[in-house]
Amino acid sequence: MNFTRWSARFPGTQRRAAARTEHAAAQAKRGEGAVPAARGGRADPGAERSAAADDHPADPTVSGTGTGTGTGPGTGTGPRTGTTPAQRTGVLTAAPSLDELSARQVLGRLPALVALVHGPEHRVAYVNDAYTAGFGARTPGAPAHEALPELGELGLLPLLDQVQRSGKPRTAKNRTAPGGGSSYTVTCTPVEFPKTGGTAPEAEAHHAGVLIHLADVTDHAEAVERLRASERRQREAAVTLQRSLLPQELEQPDDLRIAATYQPGGTEAAVGGDWYDVITLGAGRTALVIGDVMGRGVRAAAVMGQLRTAVRAYARLDLPPHEVLQLLDGLAAEIDASQIATCVYAVHDPNEGLLAYASAGHLPILVRDEHGTVRRAADPTGPPLGTGGWLHTSGTIALGPGSTAVLYTDGLVERRGEDIDEGVAALERALAGAQGTPTVICDRLMRALGVDADHDDDVAVMVLQQPARSGADAELFHNAALELLGGIEAAPRARAFAQGVLASWRFPVELCDLGVLAASELVANSLQHGTPPMRLRLRRTDRRLIIEVTDGDDHLPRRRRAEPADETGRGISIVATIASSWGSRRTPGGGKAVWCEFALPDR
């Protein structure tokens, strides 16, 4: 095939080439009467004005009067301002026309791979040298699926049909050859061949073709893949850092069943500031905390890690929830005043069946009772941590047997373009119908709220249940209490009460003796240093025995070394020696509680 004569034309190329040829001819015609600029001598002013008018009919910088400033034609001192060499000489050179170049000359010199196919079977019309070097020589006239099998391997044959039907160019990016070969960005452009005669529709159809341009982007694709691999590694490291700052295993209290989940948001290699924790306080009480440091990145994670550590330290003081938040508020301002953090701190007391809580700008706790009714924990809610100058207060919500509570961060319920109350309402509906263990409920809530791997915000969820026990399981949990009226008979009555209760719970003799001794020492300490009302409470769970004495004085006891001659000061030391753990705290209504625990032998 003579490609000089059968040159491929892009749609519209012939019209643009004709327009450029006519424009060049007009320019040449205007230049026939031009007069060269004078060099060293004075030219005829009339002729010069005529030439200036022809060359620049609307140029205000050209003057034919010979006056004014500058080096114009009237002065004879230099060329006219704003003219080109071609205008000064009066000779205009026409730009070369594309008609003078053959398609073979253009396409053959391209470094990219080029192939030209025509007809409904995409028969090969031409391949350039780069294509031959890349895939080998190809037989002209053969269908593309036979002669160009690499196009099929790259998945381009359907694209050729689409381009031929629509008459519009299409581009396929980063097509990789099978076997891990080169990668190409392929552009398929419809072209029309000049007709060779004949009136049959089939003959005209064969003149429609597709120009295939394959640009080798292997280096670019490999660089992109390396970048993606690096981003994946960075994200994995970021998520590992975030998860390492969270508790690796949640503490499981005797009276609660707890599960939590964390879902990092988005695909960026940036950690978030969501955190949660479960802290056993002693005497059967459990602290639960969930928080969110606004923003993303290592800075937010660092603040989160410091706040979580501080919460565990403050929780050991066994303070009311609002006092813990008050301490955190001051600490957050010292750590980083520019970071905003929200937090909920709650304490569960199985003796009271209540969840005491305080909130610093966080979303409300949701509680579903045993009948399926979902309630929001009402106010109080203070500003976020770090603002300072705010006195937080505590509230309570019932958490009886069979109840389920949910603590969560805003990523679970917040959506762009929606009010956050709508998200909380959706969570309430999901919680009302979610049944099963805390782990199952976590998963169901995440799915119900549409949280998946592509979610754009971090999400932390904690679910806790107070099981409704019956049968043999209920026999492992008992409570017994005695009001102490004071006087010298209070200590003997307390010992007798403890002896009878522990024997009825069928504890071993050794444990009964230790329990009676601990109860006697705690009661004696309260009688000596406390004020009425006083109460002795015994509680057993499936894992421990708890002995607690409360009174009306808020002075907390401390363990001290008693000298041999001292008659007092040994009670707390004895309790600390024989018990697994002991502690004290102030009670909300005033007064204090002193407690100790004994671990039960495995069943």
Side-chain angles (χ1 to χ4, degrees):
M1 179 180 297
N2 185 353
F3 240 73
T4 303
R5 187 168 61 89
W6 284 82
S7 298
R9 298 288 187 268
F10 293 103
T13 302
Q14 293 175 331
R15 292 191 297 273
R16 290 193 296 270
R20 285 194 295 270
T21 302
E22 293 173 0
H23 179 72
Q27 292 286 353
K29 183 176 180 181
R30 285 197 300 268
E32 289 176 357
V35 178
R39 295 182 181 272
R42 184 176 179 84
D44 185 1
E48 185 171 350
R49 284 194 299 271
S50 176
D54 288 341
D55 286 347
H56 299 281
D59 191 348
T61 62
V62 179
S63 174
T65 61
T67 61
T69 61
T71 56
T75 63
T77 61
R80 293 174 299 173
T81 303
T83 61
T84 63
Q87 292 170 336
R88 290 195 300 270
T89 60
V91 178
L92 295 178
T93 303
S97 172
L98 290 179
D99 292 337
E100 301 176 6
L101 301 175
S102 68
R104 183 180 296 276
Q105 291 176 325
V106 175
L107 301 180
R109 294 179 177 272
L110 290 179
L113 285 68
V114 177
L116 184 64
V117 297
H118 68 95
E121 295 183 349
H122 309 299
R123 295 184 177 275
V124 179
Y126 169 76
V127 294
N128 68 349
D129 294 340
Y131 196 104
T132 301
F135 293 112
R138 294 295 182 263
T139 304
H145 67 274
E146 297 178 0
L148 305 175
E150 57 276 1
L151 299 185
E153 296 174 352
L154 295 172
L156 299 176
L157 295 180
L159 187 64
L160 298 179
D161 296 333
Q162 186 182 26
V163 170
Q164 202 165 49
R165 286 194 305 268
S166 64
K168 297 180 179 179
R170 295 287 187 272
T171 298
K173 296 182 178 180
N174 295 334
R175 294 294 180 94
T176 302
S182 301
S183 297
Y184 300 94
T185 291
V186 185
T187 300
C188 297
T189 306
V191 295
E192 295 180 0
F193 292 90
K195 296 182 180 180
T196 58
T199 59
E202 295 79 2
E204 294 184 2
H206 282 217
H207 294 158
V210 178
L211 181 68
I212 307 168
H213 180 278
L214 294 89
D216 192 335
V217 293
T218 304
D219 294 342
H220 174 73
E222 291 177 351
V224 170
E225 183 58 33
R226 288 194 297 269
L227 178 60
R228 289 174 178 171
S230 175
E231 291 177 346
R232 285 194 297 269
R233 289 192 297 269
Q234 292 178 15
R235 174 171 170 74
E236 291 172 358
V239 172
T240 301
L241 171 62
Q242 168 74 342
R243 294 190 184 278
S244 67
L245 295 174
L246 298 174
Q248 302 304 303
E249 184 176 355
L250 292 179
E251 299 180 22
Q252 292 296 331
D254 298 351
D255 296 274
L256 295 176
R257 299 293 177 264
I258 303 176
T261 184
Y262 168 75
Q263 173 67 50
T267 58
E268 298 179 357
V271 295
D274 294 17
W275 94 91
Y276 55 83
D277 209 346
V278 178
I279 309 165
T280 301
L281 301 179
R285 301 167 69 252
T286 306
L288 308 122
V289 59
I290 192 166
D292 183 8
V293 178
M294 302 303 174
R296 299 177 66 82
V298 176
R299 188 175 182 181
V303 174
M304 178 268 284
Q306 294 178 77
L307 290 179
R308 176 175 174 262
T309 303
V311 168
R312 295 194 70 88
Y314 295 148
R316 298 304 176 189
L317 301 176
D318 211 343
L319 300 173
H322 65 277
E323 293 188 21
V324 172
L325 288 191
Q326 209 71 46
L327 294 172
L328 281 178
D329 184 41
L331 179 65
E334 294 176 4
I335 293 175
D336 191 341
S338 64
Q339 289 283 9
I340 298 177
T342 64
C343 179
V344 166
Y345 183 85
V347 176
H348 175 253
D349 190 340
N351 295 315
E352 305 294 337
L354 295 175
L355 191 67
Y357 65 90
S359 174
H362 207 79
L363 295 168
I365 301 173
L366 301 183
V367 176
R368 185 190 66 199
D369 61 22
E370 57 181 342
H371 305 294
T373 302
V374 178
R375 294 173 295 132
R376 297 187 191 185
D379 289 339
T381 299
L385 300 177
T387 56
W390 182 270
L391 293 178
H392 293 271
T393 56
S394 297
T396 59
I397 187 169
L399 188 69
S403 298
T404 301
V406 177
L407 291 76
Y408 52 95
T409 57
D410 59 359
L412 181 65
V413 296
E414 191 174 27
R415 301 291 182 272
R416 290 188 177 92
E418 295 183 7
D419 191 275
I420 196 168
D421 285 336
E422 298 178 4
V424 177
L427 179 59
E428 288 180 337
R429 294 189 295 270
L431 177 59
Q435 301 292 334
T437 64
T439 301
V440 172
I441 292 177
C442 278
D443 294 339
R444 290 180 176 176
L445 294 181
M446 296 280 278
R447 290 198 301 270
L449 274 296
V451 177
D452 53 22
D454 297 327
H455 194 64
D456 59 356
D457 194 6
D458 292 5
V459 177
V461 181
M462 182 188 298
V463 175
L464 55 140
Q465 287 181 340
Q466 168 79 311
R469 298 181 176 89
S470 61
D473 190 31
E475 292 297 321
L476 300 176
F477 292 81
H478 291 286
N479 284 283
L482 174 67
E483 298 292 337
L484 301 175
L485 301 179
I488 59 175
E489 74 280 358
R493 290 181 61 244
R495 286 193 294 271
F497 175 77
Q499 181 69 45
V501 169
L502 297 180
S504 68
W505 290 348
R506 299 179 181 179
F507 285 146
V509 175
E510 297 81 1
L511 183 58
C512 287
D513 294 341
L514 293 175
V516 171
L517 177 58
S520 176
E521 293 296 337
L522 292 180
V523 169
N525 183 79
S526 181
L527 290 173
Q528 183 174 359
H529 302 287
T531 59
M534 302 177 185
R535 171 185 287 184
L536 169 65
R537 174 181 288 161
L538 305 178
R539 174 175 172 78
R540 72 155 292 173
T541 68
D542 58 344
R543 289 183 284 183
R544 72 197 77 221
L545 167 66
I546 303 169
I547 301 173
E548 185 178 63
V549 175
T550 60
D551 61 56
D553 184 78
D554 60 1
H555 179 72
L556 299 180
R558 59 185 177 87
R559 186 179 180 182
R560 62 187 180 88
R561 182 184 298 274
E563 298 298 332
D566 293 343
E567 297 181 358
T568 61
R570 295 178 177 84
I572 297 299
S573 296
I574 293 174
V575 171
T577 301
I578 64 176
S580 303
S581 60
W582 78 280
S584 61
R585 71 179 188 280
R586 291 185 175 89
T587 54
K592 67 176 178 297
V594 185
W595 54 269
C596 66
E597 294 181 353
F598 294 88
L600 299 184
D602 295 335
R603 290 180 292 171

